Amino acid sequence: MHCRQIRKVHNTRQVSLGFTLVELIMVIVILGVLSVYAMPRMFNNQDFFARGFHDETMAYLRFAQKTAIAQRRTVCVTFGANAVTLQAAALAATADCAAATTTFRGPKGETPPSLTAKGTVTYTATPTALNFNGLGQPTTSAGVALTSARTIQVVGVGNAITVEAATGYVHE
């Protein structure tokens, strides 16, 4: 018997030990996109909290209007420098929220419905109280219909919240 030599054939292709140019460019693009959107939020929470408070204030105003329509009673919106509180008048016929009020759950299930800003977020000027009557129309705290739209501005947010005088429509 004679010994045969077995030759192992090696692949002549060289093994690549790095990233291709396309992969490197894609990583740079992804890092650029993340830095544009994520970095400002990590280092400037005040603007983030201000926008959140603006949006929640708008949601509470809409909730107040819808509750007034659903319960056919006046819902009062009281503002602080950095807070919003909702109350409902005890009787459907009255616009007085200073008298006995009924309690109801807010959009987050809290009683009474209230919202407080995080951090040092405030309104540019403390808004005056606003009521929504049983038809959803905005009125003053004395029950007088508004003659012009009411605007509410949060510090650090470009768009103001507007409550239309005739309809009570809440929008930016």
Side-chain angles (χ1 to χ4, degrees):
M1 271 188 144
H2 106 350
C3 243
R4 279 197 210 178
Q5 285 186 347
I6 300 174
R7 281 179 99 182
K8 291 185 179 179
V9 179
H10 292 286
N11 194 351
T12 58
R13 193 182 329 163
Q14 290 183 352
V15 178
S16 167
L17 297 176
F19 297 106
T20 65
L21 183 61
V22 172
E23 290 170 334
L24 288 174
I25 290 174
M26 289 306 295
V27 168
I28 291 170
V29 167
I30 291 170
L31 288 175
V33 168
L34 285 176
S35 67
V36 166
Y37 290 105
M39 297 300 271
R41 290 189 180 192
M42 283 194 264
F43 296 112
N44 191 0
N45 284 338
Q46 196 61 22
D47 289 344
F48 184 69
F49 290 148
R51 183 61 199 196
F53 185 61
H54 169 88
D55 291 345
E56 283 186 312
T57 298
M58 199 161 50
Y60 268 73
L61 289 170
R62 288 178 178 154
F63 180 78
Q65 182 192 29
K66 290 177 188 211
T67 302
I69 294 169
Q71 295 184 4
R72 288 287 191 206
R73 69 180 68 236
T74 299
V75 173
C76 305
V77 182
T78 308
F79 294 95
N82 65 344
V84 178
T85 305
L86 306 181
Q87 295 177 316
L91 301 171
T94 182
D96 186 17
C97 286
T101 59
T102 59
T103 58
F104 62 97
R105 294 196 182 279
K108 296 179 185 176
E110 73 279 18
T111 304
S114 62
L115 170 68
T116 304
K118 291 183 180 179
T120 59
V121 176
T122 60
Y123 296 109
T124 54
T126 303
T128 56
L130 174 70
N131 298 349
F132 288 100
N133 64 19
L135 297 174
Q137 299 165 328
T139 61
T140 65
S141 57
V144 178
L146 294 181
T147 56
S148 62
R150 176 84 47 96
T151 58
I152 301 159
Q153 181 73 45
V154 176
V155 174
V157 179
N159 299 333
I161 300 169
T162 304
V163 179
E164 296 296 333
T167 61
Y169 178 60
V170 179
H171 62 92
E172 284 187 318

